[in-house]
Amino acid sequence: MEHTDKELKYLSLLSKQFPTAASVASEIMNLQAILNLPKGTEHFLADVHGEYEAFIHVLKNASGTIRRKVSELFGGQIREQEIRELCTLIYYPQESLERIRQRESSVADWYVVAINQLIKVCQRVSEKYTRSKVRKALPPQYSYIIQELLHEDGLNSKKAGYLQAIQNSIIETGQAEDFIIAISETIQRLAIDHLHVVGDVYDRGPGAHVIMDKLLTYHNVDIQWGNHDILWMGAAVGNEASMANVIRIALRYANLATLEGGYGINLLPLARLAMEEYADDPCKRFQAKVGDTDEAYDDKSLYLISQMHKAIAVIQFKLEAQLIARRPEYGMQGRNLLHLMNLVEGTIRLPDGSEHPLLDTHFPTIDLEDPYRLTEAEVDVVARLKHSFLHSEKLRKHVNFLYKKGSMYLAYNFQLLYHASIPLNEDRSFKRVRVGDRYYAGRELMDRVDEYVRLAHWSASDAPEHGEAVDYMWYLWCGPDSPLFDKSAMTTFERYFIADKATHHEQKGFYYVYRVEQEVCERILAEFGLEGPDTHIINGHVPVKAVKGEVPLQAGGKLMLIDGGFSRAYQSSTGMAGYTLIFNSQGLQLVKHEPFSSTRQAIEQMEDIESISVVREYSSHRILVQDTDQGKILIAQVEELKKLLYAYKHGLIKEQE
């Protein structure tokens, strides 16, 4: 085995970490053992849309994984009621302990049983990991104790007393409840090795900021940006049209908790403008969808929300028109409709020549001589709102995390993850799309869009492409060729002001037509370097309407759709509350969820989300760590270590005593 000077220089650096042949051999043995373990469990979610209680519960129960393991361990040994109680204890240990403390007459006896059961569950969820990895996941204050309990089965009579003494000591020192909480949280952590969020944390539901706080502390997560995430990211980097859309959607769903409570966005300037300009306007077209929120509003508050909703919608149309004028290359001039209104006759003539009655003609801030000019009051409101977005410390923290952990797509362990679309032509070829001054298609397009999104955030404000990238953030939200939208138009204006539903239609791109074809999906997978029987595309974005017979597995099993309706706003049309995906060493399991009532009911009634496995796709072989992307990295490390071992044994590099 010959080594170049460059290789020897690298091996010399590596020898600092492994200074002896024995240490190298030990690490090689360790890595080769890890390579032969089953791969860790991956968890895929999409389109959670601010539904933080359901999201957090699905994280806690690992899409039913923990319930299944508990049933495997104790089914037939304890009653169903006790299984439910044990699962609830694992999901919500602190709250469960409060209830149990009030109920149990001999709580010390209950502690003994609970600790034994939890240890068994922890053993089951940790069995595919190395001791080192398990140790790193353990709470520091109980690491040694849990390790001792996990790695002994109690059958050794010489150690049974030792193990019993540990448990007795936990109870006698008053640490039982703290220990139960710690081991329950450890079970939650070990049940899932890696979390993938395939877009759309934001909008509609009341707690996107709560979800982001949870993700900030999650042990291993990546995010593929969705169109609603990009909208918020655009607002956070100063795109005024994106900002107006964010506020309009929040008002439409009466969801002010995220804006005001979560991020401290000051809506008072908008409220003052709305009350002044729309004082006598019923704003019927702008009444909030209160059925989708937990917030309780009185009639006066709801009326103010509708006024603010209309005010920001008009501002949005003006800001979008200004951006479209600034970027004619977007080809979206047909979306400017205010100048086509005839307020005297109460009609509008659309660009296609069709004429329609307007459902609302009260526009006190629109001058038809110059309809896209903001009034002085609107300019002031936009400036104040923009200041709030740019100076929200928590929003900045969350958006920084989206950039750090997020991307347009991810090719990982045979799976290709992206939120919405890869634009296609009618002949099924990859569509060439303009980004900046060049055209891109397929993987190159996704890479260039990813780069542009980062330019909007990280580049200096005076950098050549910064302003263009900031504008492009809005295009990604609603542009016809955006991989996050891929429709002919976003017909927001028509939905508000025209009754004819034909004008509301948004023609989907050819990706949505052809993604049901196995050959098309295989071509997309190959474009991203993924081929073979175990490869899949995982999408969100478009809710699966199970109630109408739609299915989440398409294209001969090559496409998996996991947006089934987490958001309550969608559940009437989907008929359920979302799909999630579990990928372990045996294959893929697509799980369908029923609606989640509330965290309170989950604790008090010990109700879990009813989760049904609707698709099980077994891999062509048991997937080991060596088969994964991480395994490729470890295999490369083993090869480098073998070179170092050779260098030590042949005197090319001296061992350090």
Side-chain angles (χ1 to χ4, degrees):
M1 183 185 294
E2 295 184 2
H3 293 88
T4 65
D5 290 342
K6 187 176 180 180
E7 284 177 323
L8 285 173
K9 190 176 292 185
Y10 166 74
L11 293 176
S12 293
L13 291 172
L14 188 60
S15 71
K16 305 293 183 184
Q17 187 176 356
F18 302 99
T20 65
S23 65
V24 174
S26 176
E27 183 64 8
I28 290 172
M29 288 185 284
N30 176 50
L31 293 179
Q32 288 182 330
I34 292 172
L35 287 167
N36 286 280
L37 286 171
K39 75 173 285 297
T41 300
E42 297 172 59
H43 195 187
F44 302 76
L45 297 89
D47 299 271
V48 292
H49 283 301
E51 295 292 348
Y52 69 96
E53 286 196 334
F55 170 79
I56 289 172
H57 188 84
V58 167
L59 285 193
K60 287 177 178 293
N61 79 355
S63 283
T65 297
I66 290 175
R67 170 62 188 254
R68 285 191 290 276
K69 290 186 181 297
V70 169
S71 295
E72 289 167 5
L73 280 167
F74 301 110
Q77 299 179 35
I78 62 176
R79 294 174 301 169
E80 174 65 22
Q81 175 75 4
E82 293 172 303
I83 287 177
R84 289 173 59 193
E85 183 176 282
L86 178 56
C87 288
T88 305
L89 176 65
I90 294 170
Y91 308 153
Y92 303 100
Q94 190 164 344
E95 297 87 345
S96 296
L97 285 166
E98 291 174 6
R99 295 175 58 79
I100 288 161
R101 200 184 310 118
Q102 295 170 7
R103 183 194 72 195
E104 292 290 332
S105 57
S106 179
V107 73
D109 292 341
W110 182 89
Y111 289 150
V112 172
V113 174
I115 289 171
N116 274 300
Q117 290 176 336
L118 290 170
I119 288 295
K120 287 185 173 68
V121 178
C122 198
Q123 286 173 332
R124 178 61 65 91
V125 298
S126 65
E127 60 190 4
K128 67 171 64 176
Y129 303 123
T130 64
R131 289 195 180 191
S132 173
K133 185 164 186 172
V134 173
R135 184 172 63 250
K136 291 173 184 176
L138 298 177
Q141 70 273 32
Y142 296 116
S143 180
Y144 171 75
I145 294 173
I146 294 177
Q147 286 180 74
E148 289 293 293
L149 294 173
L150 284 181
H151 300 300
E152 298 293 342
D153 58 15
L155 297 178
N156 185 339
S157 59
K158 294 180 180 180
K159 294 199 72 174
Y162 166 71
L163 298 175
Q164 187 62 51
I166 290 177
Q167 294 188 38
N168 291 340
S169 179
I170 292 170
I171 296 168
E172 288 169 4
T173 57
Q175 298 301 302
E177 294 198 2
D178 194 45
F179 181 82
I180 286 170
I181 291 169
I183 198 166
S184 295
E185 291 174 348
T186 300
I187 291 168
Q188 291 180 34
R189 174 166 180 159
L190 291 172
I192 297 298
D193 188 45
H194 194 137
L195 173 65
H196 306 281
V197 181
V198 193
D200 278 359
V201 170
Y202 282 89
D203 288 333
R204 297 195 173 92
H209 58 295
V210 181
I211 293 171
M212 289 303 301
D213 279 338
K214 183 69 175 177
L215 293 177
L216 281 169
T217 62
Y218 203 78
H219 55 277
N220 194 3
V221 62
D222 58 66
I223 302 166
Q224 292 69 58
W225 302 317
N227 53 320
H228 288 269
D229 304 321
I230 282 289
L231 185 64
W232 277 80
M233 292 161 70
V237 299
N239 186 301
E240 295 174 354
S242 296
M243 178 189 72
N245 273 277
V246 161
I247 297 169
R248 178 184 60 79
I249 293 170
L251 292 165
R252 183 184 182 196
Y253 290 93
N255 172 23
L256 304 184
T258 300
L259 273 176
E260 293 184 312
Y263 295 126
I265 305 301
N266 182 10
L267 297 179
L268 284 177
L270 177 63
R272 282 196 296 267
L273 171 73
M275 287 187 291
E276 290 170 5
E277 297 291 353
Y278 302 96
D280 300 318
D281 189 337
C283 297
K284 288 184 178 179
R285 302 296 304 163
F286 296 89
Q287 292 176 356
K289 296 188 175 185
V290 292
D292 301 322
T293 180
D294 293 328
E295 294 290 325
Y297 294 102
D298 57 30
D299 291 343
K300 188 174 181 180
S301 297
L302 287 172
Y303 178 53
L304 176 58
I305 288 173
S306 68
Q307 290 174 303
M308 294 166 68
H309 186 181
K310 185 172 183 179
I312 198 65
V314 172
I315 289 172
Q316 174 191 313
F317 299 140
K318 292 181 179 183
L319 290 171
E320 289 178 336
Q322 293 173 13
L323 195 156
I324 289 167
R326 192 161 64 242
R327 303 292 174 193
E329 66 270 22
Y330 292 172
M332 295 178 66
Q333 292 81 355
R335 296 310 308 144
N336 296 338
L337 302 177
L338 298 185
H339 68 286
L340 301 177
M341 295 190 300
N342 184 331
L343 298 183
V344 175
E345 296 185 7
T347 60
I348 184 170
R349 185 174 295 278
L350 295 178
D352 64 4
S354 62
E355 189 170 345
H356 304 270
L358 286 167
L359 297 173
D360 189 336
T361 58
H362 184 65
F363 298 105
T365 66
I366 294 178
D367 177 2
L368 289 182
E369 296 297 319
D370 190 3
Y372 303 112
R373 179 181 59 82
L374 293 167
T375 66
E376 288 185 16
E378 288 174 327
V379 168
D380 181 67
V381 166
V382 170
R384 290 173 183 272
L385 289 170
K386 186 174 180 179
H387 182 273
S388 273
F389 274 91
L390 292 178
H391 292 84
S392 169
E393 185 177 341
K394 190 164 189 174
L395 179 59
R396 186 185 306 115
K397 181 181 180 181
H398 287 174
V399 168
N400 284 344
F401 185 79
L402 285 171
Y403 275 96
K404 180 181 179 181
K405 295 292 186 178
S407 57
M408 283 294 295
Y409 72 91
L410 180 67
Y412 188 85
N413 288 348
F414 328 113
Q415 316 306 320
L416 177 60
L417 287 62
Y418 53 88
H419 180 67
S421 158
I422 305 292
L424 300 176
N425 293 310
E426 189 172 5
D427 66 358
R428 297 171 175 77
S429 62
F430 294 114
K431 187 174 186 178
R432 296 177 70 248
V433 173
R434 179 171 176 167
V435 184
D437 57 0
R438 287 185 56 194
Y439 286 83
Y440 305 84
R443 184 173 185 171
E444 278 195 348
L445 170 63
M446 297 294 273
D447 286 336
R448 181 55 172 155
V449 169
D450 193 292
E451 182 182 5
Y452 242 53
V453 172
R454 297 183 195 283
L455 280 171
H457 184 61
W458 296 117
S459 65
S461 58
D462 57 351
E465 290 183 306
H466 176 79
E468 192 172 340
V470 170
D471 282 350
Y472 194 72
M473 296 293 281
W474 172 81
Y475 182 88
L476 286 172
W477 160 246
C478 61
D481 288 334
S482 164
L484 295 176
F485 184 61
D486 197 7
K487 296 180 185 178
S488 58
M490 186 174 287
T491 56
T492 306
F493 179 95
E494 292 90 331
R495 291 169 187 269
Y496 281 126
F497 300 119
I498 301 176
D500 185 355
K501 290 190 176 181
T503 66
H504 304 175
H505 181 64
E506 299 171 352
Q507 183 63 43
K508 293 178 181 177
F510 287 110
Y511 172 80
Y512 299 106
V513 177
Y514 297 130
R515 69 178 183 177
V516 298
E517 298 179 6
Q518 183 172 341
E519 185 179 342
V520 169
C521 288
E522 288 175 343
R523 190 183 308 126
I524 292 171
L525 286 162
E527 172 76 0
F528 290 83
L530 297 173
E531 297 182 86
D534 299 321
T535 59
H536 305 86
I537 294 170
I538 299 173
N539 268 180
H541 190 55
V542 179
V544 179
K545 297 179 180 177
V547 72
K548 293 185 177 180
E550 294 181 3
V551 294
L553 189 67
Q554 300 183 5
K558 283 296 177 183
L559 175 67
M560 291 191 170
L561 305 174
I562 60 170
D563 175 7
F566 252 98
S567 173
R568 279 176 285 178
Y570 290 145
Q571 287 173 11
S572 61
S573 61
T574 60
M576 43 88 182
Y579 290 100
T580 58
L581 184 67
I582 294 290
F583 180 26
N584 58 29
S585 61
Q586 296 177 328
L588 293 154
Q589 182 176 344
L590 199 59
V591 181
K592 173 183 172 183
H593 302 286
E594 294 302 314
F596 182 61
S597 51
S598 69
T599 300
R600 180 179 177 180
Q601 198 159 327
I603 297 165
E604 293 180 354
Q605 305 298 323
M606 292 181 289
E607 287 186 0
D608 205 347
I609 292 180
E610 188 68 29
S611 302
I612 304 167
S613 177
V614 292
V615 175
R616 279 184 178 271
E617 182 171 311
Y618 294 99
S619 64
S620 55
H621 63 286
R622 183 75 183 270
I623 305 172
L624 305 179
V625 172
Q626 64 186 351
D627 301 313
T628 67
D629 291 350
Q630 181 61 28
K632 293 174 186 176
I633 295 171
L634 297 181
I635 290 169
Q637 289 176 1
V638 168
E639 293 305 310
E640 296 303 319
L641 288 167
K642 286 180 177 178
K643 292 177 184 178
L644 179 58
L645 187 61
Y646 178 92
Y648 278 145
K649 289 183 175 180
H650 290 81
L652 300 175
I653 295 176
K654 291 183 179 180
E655 294 185 66
Q656 301 171 37
E657 297 300 330

